[in-house]
Amino acid sequence: MDKVNLFFENLISQFQIIFQNLETKLPFSSSELLLIIGILISFIAASIALQKNRKNLKQALIEEQDQDSPGEAISNLLQDPKSILPHFQELKQRLIYALIFFVFATIFAMLITNPVLEALAEPAGGLSALQAIAVTEPFTIYFKVSLVLGLIIAAPYLISQIWIFIAVGLKSTERNAFYLLFPFAVFLFISGVVFAYKVMLPVAVPFLLNFMNIQAVPTLEDYITFVLRVLIWIGIAFEMPLIFFALAKIGIVNSQMLSKNWRYAILGIVVLAAVITPTPDPINMLIVTAPLIILYIISILLTKFARKNSEA
């Protein structure tokens, strides 16, 4: 037993030495590196699952045979209700895979929850600047952050499982569009989260804590919940180009429509920035508005590309 303990202690110490060496060479901490590794593993697992699913669909000749129309599908279901059972079994299998991966991702996230909490608290002056009112508040926040980190790490794989379930009911062109956009969706979401943490929060949080020269002392729960909400919503907002691309693919919007209505789009972006931005000052609104306008321009280019491919 002592030999086993000694082996694990030596193994952990070796990993600590490796991460300490990496910290001196890389522009981020060991906890950020572990988070990146976790997301990368999830992305690789998702890519493998999607590639396997794509091959299975090709083998089943679904690439050459378009699916029934919604009306025909409903008619077939009414004639034979048992035909839906395989879909429930497939859904059950995908949910099990997703749950297992999420559990492992959350366990992995627990290894970096403490340093992540410290990093999230930096704009407010560190964890020591926060207070806990309830006895169970630190315990609750620890597991809340672990679950959110686990969800972020597992997100690429979870999305792939949802996609595998619905892909059978789509046409080949629609499936190919997803395979192309999936990496960009992950990249844009992570870019939004990094932007919110590195650029927006360092400006917004000190402004809020010292508004009207009144020093606020937030509770741990309120502050962490606020930060997580901002990170997630900014990450979702950065998905704008892909949302417009998908709408263009199905013929709802086009590049001419977006170009002609750019004034209304900027007004909508300003309103969205006002909703997302936690502070009322124009500086923080500008910080959010500027990248969203750039993303809108990218959306115009992507919708033009989407319509060209659809017409082809």
Side-chain angles (χ1 to χ4, degrees):
M1 192 67 180
D2 292 336
K3 292 183 178 180
V4 174
N5 292 334
L6 182 61
F7 170 78
F8 280 108
E9 289 177 359
N10 291 333
L11 184 64
I12 293 173
S13 63
Q14 289 298 323
F15 274 113
Q16 289 176 342
I17 293 173
I18 292 174
F19 283 121
Q20 288 174 357
N21 293 333
L22 287 173
E23 279 185 328
T24 59
K25 299 177 181 180
L26 297 174
F28 36 76
S29 64
S30 58
S31 59
E32 292 173 335
L33 178 61
L34 282 174
L35 182 59
I36 293 171
I37 291 174
I39 295 174
L40 183 61
I41 292 173
S42 178
F43 180 78
I44 293 173
S47 301
I48 293 173
L50 290 173
Q51 185 63 24
K52 183 178 179 181
N53 172 252
R54 193 175 188 181
K55 289 181 179 179
N56 291 338
L57 292 178
K58 286 182 178 180
Q59 292 173 0
L61 300 179
I62 298 179
E63 291 286 337
E64 290 76 21
Q65 298 176 359
D66 289 335
Q67 304 299 308
D68 294 335
S69 65
E72 292 173 342
I74 294 174
S75 177
N76 294 335
L77 178 60
L78 292 176
Q79 293 176 6
D80 184 16
K82 292 183 179 179
S83 62
I84 200 174
L85 291 178
H87 297 287
F88 276 117
Q89 293 175 353
E90 177 71 12
L91 177 61
K92 179 182 177 181
Q93 183 180 12
R94 296 302 154 195
L95 288 176
I96 291 174
Y97 288 162
L99 180 61
I100 292 174
F101 197 93
F102 173 67
V103 169
F104 279 104
T106 303
I107 294 173
F108 178 82
M110 289 181 179
L111 300 175
I112 58 174
T113 298
N114 279 334
V116 167
L117 275 171
E118 293 175 358
L120 293 178
E122 282 182 5
L127 287 174
S128 60
L130 305 176
Q131 60 179 340
I133 298 177
V135 176
T136 59
E137 189 171 331
F139 179 84
T140 303
I141 289 300
Y142 177 87
F143 281 98
K144 183 177 182 178
V145 173
S146 297
L147 289 172
V148 172
L149 284 175
L151 183 61
I152 292 173
I153 292 172
Y157 186 79
L158 299 181
I159 293 172
S160 72
Q161 294 304 301
I162 296 172
W163 167 254
I164 290 173
F165 175 71
I166 66 175
V168 179
L170 300 177
K171 296 181 180 180
S172 59
T173 54
E174 295 168 338
R175 291 195 296 269
N176 290 334
F178 177 85
Y179 295 131
L180 176 66
L181 296 178
F182 176 70
F184 294 103
V186 176
F187 172 77
L188 285 175
F189 180 80
I190 294 176
S191 298
V193 172
V194 172
F195 170 81
Y197 175 70
K198 294 290 187 180
V199 179
M200 182 179 169
L201 287 177
V203 178
V205 172
F207 176 86
L208 288 172
L209 295 182
N210 294 280
F211 184 68
M212 294 179 60
N213 294 323
I214 300 175
Q215 181 64 40
V217 183
T219 64
L220 178 65
E221 182 176 3
D222 288 342
Y223 176 79
I224 296 299
T225 301
F226 159 76
V227 170
L228 292 177
R229 185 169 62 247
V230 169
L231 295 178
I232 292 173
W233 278 111
I234 294 295
I236 294 174
F238 268 57
E239 299 288 346
M240 183 197 305
L242 296 187
I243 294 174
F244 278 118
F245 182 88
L247 293 176
K249 270 291 185 182
I250 60 180
I252 295 179
V253 300
N254 54 57
S255 58
Q256 291 81 7
M257 182 188 302
L258 298 181
S259 300
K260 289 180 180 178
N261 296 280
W262 64 269
R263 295 178 181 84
Y264 298 104
I266 292 179
L267 178 61
I269 288 173
V270 171
V271 173
L272 178 63
V275 173
I276 296 176
T277 306
T279 65
D281 66 296
I283 296 177
N284 281 287
M285 284 188 61
L286 181 62
I287 290 174
V288 179
T289 302
L292 290 181
I293 292 176
I294 295 173
L295 290 172
Y296 183 77
I297 296 173
I298 296 174
S299 300
I300 296 175
L301 300 175
L302 280 178
T303 51
K304 188 174 183 179
F305 176 75
R307 294 311 300 165
K308 280 186 178 179
N309 284 355
S310 298
E311 293 170 359

